[in-house]
Amino acid sequence: MGEREFATGIGATPGLLHRLDPTFSLIPKLPGRIRNSVMKKPFLLSQSFGTALVIGLCAAAIQPAAAQTTNAGAGLRRGGTNDPIARIRDEGLNRSEVMKTLSYLTDVIGPRLTGSPNMKRANEWTRDKLTSWGLANAHLEAWGPFGRGWSLKRFSIQVIEPQAIPLIAAPKAWTPGFEQPLTANVIYIDAKTETDLEKFQGKLKGAIVLASPVREVRARFEPLAARIAESNLLRLANAGPADTRTFFPGRTAGTNAASTNAPRSGFGGGQRGGGSTNVSSARIFSFIAKEGAALVLTPSGEGDGGTLFVASASIPGTERRSGTNPPPTAMAGAPRQSVWATNVPAIPAQIAVATEDYNRLVRMIQQGEKLKMAVDLQVQFHDEDLMAYNTIAEIPGSDLKDELVMIGAHMDSWHSGTGATDNGAGCAATMEAMRILKALNLQPRRTIRIGLWSGEEEGLLGSRAYVAKHFGYYTNMSNSVSSAVRSPREESNNPRRRSSSTNAPARKLIRQRDHEKFSAYFNLDNGTGKIRGVYMQNNEAVRPLFRKWLQPFNDLGAETLTYGNTGGTDHQAFDGVGLPGFQFIQDPIDYWTRTHHSNEDVFDRIQADDMKQAATIMAAFLYNAATMEEKLPRKATE
């Protein structure tokens, strides 16, 4: 009997029984007499009495079995244990170094844009830190070529006429800068038609241009930070093969309804807001660039109260929504040039401005004020080394050392904050999981390897390059190793959906030598929130394993398994070539509302207890996967 059917049969709320899992999942194992009494119809008379009785009967009936099942917390409270999972829990929760690791990565090294000196410093520091903990074969593994790096050297922006107005703003990554500080008039383009646009011909050269309409800032009636609601955990748990949605708890599950006021800013191909219009933002941007504007300002497409969200600059004619992971160029059909390419054409400087500040400037101009602005923007492009790097290290296995279990997180970040929740948190927690295992001298049978990826924000480039080199790639992709695997959008993780397409190109998976030796990859990349469970990526065969592995941590809130998948991060590089790759379900906290790709993505937004919990659970998953008799089962492939 399934969990959902059992909940209905006893008249209990599914949410309550979901919280009681794994206890209620043992009902089918009860002795026949007790099981029959539990399932009798009179049991439906009282929901609360029925639920309580089930709990009591379960506890009485399974007590002998429970005595044989490890409860890590209880074991330690009894004064010590040799159980590896209990020891992992004790080390991870009571002697954690995760926050110390994260502080250095974010406070000291700072933002880590792919290709930048900060990113290379992070690669080298994490390599050395992992070595100091006793990991073997710690090294940087190159991939690419990626393109130019970029770093910000100096920045300030303010209105100087008719009055002084300091602005909250951030340059977009890979924007060009100015040799000397710029002082120029500010022009607002309010064009709803091509005729409106033509009125600005010959008027923009050397100017600072406001390129977007105002964005309404609505009041927030929901908290910025939230845990995943029990009802949404149940929704995840009830997902099945017929549910093809990609889940982003906290963003789509309704835990933060006020997370966005409008689509993200940028020069996308959609229509501009503010009434009837037949001219797109992309067309506006191309016009501005052609007219020779010196600087283009846009409002942050999300956030308020001084929080702004910013990613990369745009190239006229190749615009996309800012702040998203674009697919690699070879995967988008016609090639699309990236702003970090070495042969990118000249583009105007681009800065994102906090919405309230931007809106005020527009309103002032609309009421006849003549604005002048002073901007100091100095940047540096780095083209001495066009390669990018992943940090790799491992704990060698014993009798199954040729087989591999992996854990990873992307280490690159955007640049307006310090990349704490996206994704310094994932890096520090996965590193901590490896430290825990080494500190306890727990010897795995399989080799356990960590990968700290670069290029994730530009399209999962680092992890895809690693997978293509070591495990496999598809022949219908570009010869470039960095784009050898399909993008998240193209790799639907649904074999039936893929096979139903009559226009899909023929493709063949080329398996590298280590493809058959691979067991599993575990990823963390959804902020600071604690682990609540695992996305099984449509791999039903791992459910009993993961349920068992989560049991010692049910009291820490980790118990949900969903058949569904989640996207936008590095486990997809593995899943895309038929390897078991998983992302953990995490509480959103304020990831989508405040920190994701924003200037508030800083260490102070990190929740220490959640980080300790996540690192501990991942260490246990690694140990279990590396010591079990067989490799993790794989889902059916085409």
Side-chain angles (χ1 to χ4, degrees), residues 476-477 486 490 497-507:
N476 68 319
M477 295 294 100
R486 290 193 291 183
E490 293 172 310
R497 181 187 296 174
R498 292 198 301 264
S499 62
S500 65
S501 174
T502 58
N503 297 322
R507 68 189 196 124

Side-chain angles (χ1 to χ4, degrees), residues 8-85:
T8 304
I10 67 171
T13 61
L16 177 58
L17 289 179
H18 174 72
R19 292 287 300 149
L20 294 174
D21 183 26
T23 305
F24 77 81
S25 66
L26 294 172
I27 290 295
K29 301 178 183 178
L30 291 173
R33 177 179 56 83
I34 298 177
R35 182 173 64 250
N36 291 338
S37 68
V38 167
M39 300 308 296
K40 283 182 179 179
K41 287 289 184 180
F43 198 65
L44 299 172
L45 290 176
S46 170
Q47 176 175 315
S48 59
F49 172 77
T51 303
L53 182 56
V54 170
I55 299 169
L57 291 171
C58 288
I62 67 175
Q63 184 138 9
Q68 302 171 13
T69 302
T70 298
N71 184 315
L76 291 173
R77 286 191 294 272
R78 288 194 297 269
T81 177
N82 290 323
D83 176 69
I85 303 304

Side-chain angles (χ1 to χ4, degrees), residues 428-634:
T430 53
M431 290 174 67
E432 174 69 4
M434 300 293 278
R435 186 202 66 80
I436 290 169
L437 297 178
K438 283 301 296 182
L440 297 174
N441 291 315
L442 293 174
Q443 176 61 55
R445 299 179 66 190
R446 295 176 180 83
T447 294
I448 301 175
R449 183 177 298 165
I450 185 172
L452 302 176
W453 316 116
S454 57
E456 191 271 354
E457 299 293 2
E458 291 74 37
L460 318 184
L461 300 182
S463 60
R464 290 184 183 278
Y466 186 86
V467 167
K469 177 180 178 181
H470 293 274
F471 305 117
Y473 59 91
Y474 283 101
T475 55
N476 68 319
M477 295 294 100
S478 165
N479 288 332
S480 169
V481 73
S482 66
S483 58
V485 185
R486 290 193 291 183
S487 70
R489 217 168 276 170
E490 293 172 310
E491 184 61 65
S492 68
N493 299 308
N494 187 330
R496 289 176 298 182
R497 181 187 296 174
R498 292 198 301 264
S499 62
S500 65
S501 174
T502 58
N503 297 322
R507 68 189 196 124
K508 179 182 179 181
L509 175 62
I510 303 300
R511 292 176 173 84
Q512 304 283 33
R513 181 174 62 89
D514 290 337
H515 191 278
E516 294 308 315
K517 299 177 181 179
F518 189 86
S519 179
Y521 171 78
F522 301 102
N523 194 76
L524 196 73
D525 180 24
N526 281 147
T528 184
K530 68 182 179 181
I531 287 174
R532 306 303 299 275
V534 189
Y535 298 98
M536 297 190 299
Q537 292 295 130
N538 310 147
N539 186 350
E540 183 63 35
V542 301
R543 186 183 295 272
L545 291 172
F546 289 179
R547 184 174 301 285
K548 180 180 178 181
W549 295 356
L550 284 175
Q551 280 184 2
F553 307 102
N554 285 173
D555 64 314
L556 300 181
E559 57 185 344
T560 299
L561 296 174
T562 179
Y563 179 86
N565 67 76
T566 190
T569 190
D570 294 293
H571 71 291
Q572 290 188 305
F574 296 83
D575 185 70
V577 295
L579 298 174
F582 307 97
Q583 161 71 22
F584 291 93
I585 302 168
Q586 294 176 258
D587 277 333
I589 313 299
D590 52 4
Y591 187 64
W592 299 112
T593 57
R594 173 173 273 184
T595 67
H596 181 247
H597 299 181
S598 87
N599 60 333
E600 292 298 322
D601 189 4
V602 294
F603 181 85
D604 299 276
R605 303 254 55 91
I606 297 295
Q607 306 301 305
D609 288 343
D610 287 21
M611 292 285 290
K612 295 175 186 177
Q613 183 254 30
T616 301
I617 291 173
M618 288 191 293
F621 266 62
L622 288 175
Y623 182 79
N624 284 324
T627 56
M628 61 188 291
E629 284 299 321
E630 304 293 335
K631 299 191 297 291
L632 258 69
R634 300 182 180 184

